[in-house]
Amino acid sequence: MRRSRPRRDNGAADDATERRGDYGRTVARLHDDEREVGPLNEAENRRLLRIKLFGATGSVLLLIGSLGTGAIPVLQNPVAGMRVLSLPSRMWSTALTLSIGGTIMLVVAWLLIGRFAVGRFGVEVLHGRSPDRRMTRRQADRTLMLWIAPIIVAPPLLSKDIYSYLAQSAIAFRGMDPYVISPVRGLGVDHVLTRSVPNLWRDTPAPYGPLFLWLGKGITAVTGENITAAIFLHRLLALVGIALIVWALPRLARRCGVSSVAALWLGAMNPLLILHLVGGIHNEALMLGMMLVGLELCFRAIYGSDRLRRPGSIWPSSAGWILIAGTAVISASAMVKVTSMLALGFVGIALAQRWGAYLPALRHAPVRQWWDRSRRSIAALAASAATLAGVLVTVMVGICVGTGLGFGWTSTLSTGDVVRSWMSMPTLLSVTTGRLGVALGLGDQTQAILEVGRPLGQLIAAVFIVRWMLACLGGRLHPLGALGVSMATVVVFFPFVQAWYLLWAVIPLAAWATRPWFRISTIAVSAIIAIVVMPTSSNTSGVVLAQGLLAGVIMVAVMTALFFEDLPIQRWWRARRGAHRDRESARDDAHTG
């Protein structure tokens, strides 16, 4: 899959000159090829069915609980006044128990079904081996659809960002600039959409790309001020993104020598995706889906055998048009959320490698030979950058001008800095340092420390990303793996991080990284974060939370016993069914005789 680096014409070059760059040796150990294996046997299929139904039951319980703990709109509550459906909102502790228990059941089902995707923890996962059998792609797809189905009709989960989407889209629909005018100023503080926007975001402009707000504007044109209908259409938009992820992720995994089912399980079936991208209706679903589809199209052209240009012409061939289309899709995804623009850097390196670029060894090589060793690579990198930049600029200008929303999004990218998230390392260290200063009597200098710590974190992230690009250019990291590691670096050093931001890194890496360290840590972090981020409000007391958590754990224990333990009532029921079948068989035999 990787293009061989160009060889120098003079055979007298020393080893230091010809050896490729040694960046990325440690990170490259995250990947190893996996072998495809056969389908599950009959006993494993029966266990798989139980786990699927266990997870689906968790989703249903989460749906019921969300009627009380979900991000219900302040006005136009669709279940208000209904005798049955409004019960969870009037029994908040019970709704919290159902939500926590349903979430834990979904996470446990995901962990249990992992043995049919990546293998048993102590046998295959821990030792980096492929299992003897895996569930089929069809089984994985059906399981994901079964678990998602109840969430589709649930209220927004774990976040109220959807109401900011609705308000900002309504501002754009009214012909105002959402990158300048906030919901309070554009719609009014008492407007039905503004009332549901969190206080933190009521007076801030939109930080999202013009493509996303243009889609939201279209939804507003259809739904008007009907919040329930608008939420449903935005969730359908998120589901389109999930479908794109499910389409592209297995193809990228096969391209990297990774099991497509394993990649789907870790990336698309991840409980963070189900709870936050589907349940929370975040625009990362569309961003990641478009980015992955664009990557697959670009790699299909770059790593294919067809020429990218027509012979004797500057015009693209069919493969060249696929490359342009993939680049355009990635560029469009950046107009949903700008983070995905990073993918173009690694597509550019892959394209430059096809045109002969490589990273020569930099250590122990004479400086005077630098130009001779690097000029072809520099020319290939420049040509690649110019090609992709031309497509990027064309798409960006076309979307910004075509949607009528302009380029105001470039000035609102730091809007989220008002959030002090404990998951952001620079923010966590800065806030902790500020608190220590207060405890020592030095005054509250937290904001000043944040203004230094956050840019410093971004600078450190940029340095690491350059290193991963060099490792990719040197051929040690596949561009998809290097992108995933870079996304992980961005998440670690980002000024503000939410739980679903982890998917920026997890989903691309699921198609490339296979070694135990990555899979074990990713499984653990995904499961823990999915459970720790609970549907609680700011005024939830610790006693109520503890009660809900304890009751939820007890409920999960009972449901686990019902689904997986061989209880006496289950043995009695099987014996009764067996006796009934025997009587039916005997009656049929007598009738036949």
Side-chain angles (χ1 to χ4, degrees), residues 119-469:
R120 293 163 292 181
F121 176 80
V123 179
E124 287 93 11
V125 177
L126 193 60
H127 298 93
R129 297 202 298 259
S130 296
D132 294 331
R133 292 174 296 277
R134 285 192 177 94
M135 58 181 171
T136 63
R137 167 72 192 278
R138 187 177 184 181
Q139 288 175 319
D141 290 342
R142 288 186 170 184
T143 302
L144 178 59
M145 289 189 290
L146 182 64
W147 290 356
I148 283 178
I151 309 298
I152 294 175
V153 295
L157 304 180
L158 304 169
S159 172
K160 294 184 177 181
D161 282 3
I162 180 62
Y163 299 112
S164 295
Y165 298 169
L166 299 185
Q168 292 155 3
S169 299
I171 290 171
F173 179 70
R174 291 187 175 191
M176 295 178 285
D177 188 351
Y179 300 118
V180 175
I181 299 174
S182 65
V184 167
R185 288 189 291 158
L187 304 177
V189 68
D190 293 325
H191 191 273
V192 63
L193 298 179
T194 306
R195 290 287 297 276
S196 295
V197 177
N199 292 333
L200 187 63
W201 307 117
R202 285 190 179 185
D203 205 22
T204 56
Y208 310 113
L211 177 59
F212 179 71
L213 290 183
W214 178 74
L215 293 171
K217 178 181 173 182
I219 291 175
T220 302
V222 173
T223 62
E225 296 179 0
N226 188 319
I227 294 179
T228 302
I231 288 174
F232 182 73
L233 291 183
H234 269 278
R235 181 163 273 151
L236 289 182
L237 194 62
L239 289 174
V240 170
I242 303 301
L244 295 177
I245 292 173
V246 172
W247 181 87
L249 194 60
R251 289 167 171 79
L252 291 169
R254 288 194 295 268
R255 193 174 295 281
C256 296
V258 175
S259 165
S260 58
V261 170
L264 275 176
W265 173 78
L266 189 56
M269 297 176 68
N270 194 300
L272 291 178
L273 182 144
I274 297 173
L275 294 172
H276 292 281
L277 298 195
V278 179
I281 323 179
H282 292 289
N283 56 11
E284 269 82 1
L286 190 60
M287 178 199 79
L288 288 169
M290 294 176 67
M291 183 187 77
L292 292 180
V293 169
L295 285 170
E296 167 59 22
L297 294 176
C298 289
F299 291 158
R300 186 177 297 180
I302 292 172
Y303 294 121
S305 58
D306 295 337
R307 295 171 58 93
L308 299 179
R309 290 190 302 178
R310 297 175 185 174
S313 172
I314 63 172
W315 290 102
S317 63
S318 58
W321 284 116
I322 292 175
L323 173 63
I324 292 173
T327 306
V329 173
I330 296 174
S331 303
S333 74
M335 296 294 95
V336 173
K337 209 160 189 178
V338 75
T339 316
S340 63
M341 194 179 295
L342 183 61
L344 289 178
F346 295 95
V347 171
I349 289 177
L351 180 59
Q353 285 176 318
R354 168 155 182 162
W355 288 341
Y358 77 106
L359 179 69
L362 301 178
R363 299 174 183 175
H364 313 299
V367 176
R368 63 180 179 273
Q369 295 181 3
W370 182 87
W371 177 247
D372 288 339
R373 292 184 297 121
S374 305
R375 58 185 178 185
R376 182 176 179 181
S377 296
I378 291 174
L381 287 168
S384 173
T387 301
L388 300 188
V391 178
L392 173 64
V393 170
T394 301
V395 171
M396 286 177 56
V397 172
I399 290 175
C400 292
V401 174
T403 60
L405 295 172
F407 299 88
W409 60 273
T410 58
S411 61
T412 62
L413 295 177
S414 60
T415 299
D417 286 354
V418 297
V419 178
R420 295 184 178 182
S421 170
W422 61 270
M423 296 180 66
S424 166
M425 188 172 70
T427 300
L428 178 62
L429 294 177
S430 298
V431 171
T432 302
T433 304
R435 296 285 175 82
L436 289 175
V438 172
L440 295 174
L442 302 177
D444 188 359
Q445 307 297 327
T446 303
Q447 187 58 40
I449 298 173
L450 283 169
E451 291 176 358
V452 174
R454 282 173 165 175
L456 181 60
Q458 291 173 311
L459 178 62
I460 294 173
V463 172
F464 274 108
I465 290 171
V466 170
R467 183 180 179 88
W468 309 141
M469 286 185 171

Side-chain angles (χ1 to χ4, degrees), residues 501-522:
Y501 286 14
L502 298 177
L503 296 171
W504 296 358
V506 169
I507 291 179
L509 285 174
W512 175 77
T514 61
R515 302 305 297 164
W517 181 89
F518 166 74
R519 281 187 171 164
I520 292 172
S521 61
T522 302

